[in-house]
Amino acid sequence: VIRAFVLSIVAAAFAAAPATAGPSFFVGLDDGSSTFVSKRAFVSDLNVGALRVPLTWQRGQEEPTAADLSAIDAVVTTHPDVRILLVANGLGDDAPTDAVARDEYCKFLRTVLLRFPTINDVVVWNEPNLSFFWKPQFHPDGTSAAPAAYLQLLGRCWDILHAFRPDVNV
């Protein structure tokens, strides 16, 4: 009985189809900065399909700085065949938790997309489950505050970015 069981498992292993990645699967890099310009050969040699490009956002900011735009431009022009994933976030106290800040933040992202039509992937904020990136995490009564506030930000950015470019990935 044991021998028959083992043989059936071996036969099933040989009959199983090989695992393959779907056409939308890609491998990307993130080094926490926009320094991929100096790594062109590295990115090319590894056949990297995407680069995550970070931006820092602060309350009241509706447009990226000239330095940010220059850094993004350098990455986009150095790696024209690589998918760029834009992520903009800040520190916990700057989390866009009210309507005005949400609009500023989402318009900030739209400005980058307007300037760089080849960027079509946007990561909205970063780790809103950590107080380093998102405050407040809790209401005064101890109930969780961050998930609902982050959901409002996602919804607002979805609306603003899709009104501008319907096929953007948020």
Side-chain angles (χ1 to χ4, degrees), residues 57-163:
W57 179 83
Q58 295 178 330
R59 282 182 175 264
Q61 185 178 6
E62 287 189 18
E63 295 186 11
T65 65
D68 286 338
L69 292 173
S70 177
I72 296 169
D73 186 59
V75 173
V76 168
T77 56
T78 303
H79 305 287
D81 298 326
V82 175
R83 187 174 183 172
I84 304 297
L85 284 79
L86 178 70
V87 60
N89 65 287
L91 299 178
D93 291 329
D94 281 325
T97 55
D98 59 68
V100 171
R102 285 190 294 270
D103 279 351
E104 291 168 348
Y105 174 81
C106 299
K107 289 175 182 176
F108 174 88
L109 294 174
R110 183 182 63 198
T111 299
V112 177
L113 295 180
L114 178 64
R115 173 84 184 260
F116 300 99
T118 60
I119 296 178
N120 200 43
D121 300 284
V122 178
V123 177
V124 175
W125 211 252
N126 182 61
E127 299 188 62
N129 60 322
L130 299 176
S131 61
F132 182 79
F133 293 109
W134 192 279
K135 290 181 184 176
Q137 286 290 309
F138 300 97
H139 294 292
D141 67 0
T143 59
S144 189
Y150 180 62
L151 184 60
Q152 287 181 315
L153 177 64
L154 282 174
R156 187 65 183 134
C157 286
W158 176 273
D159 291 344
I160 287 175
L161 297 177
H162 278 89

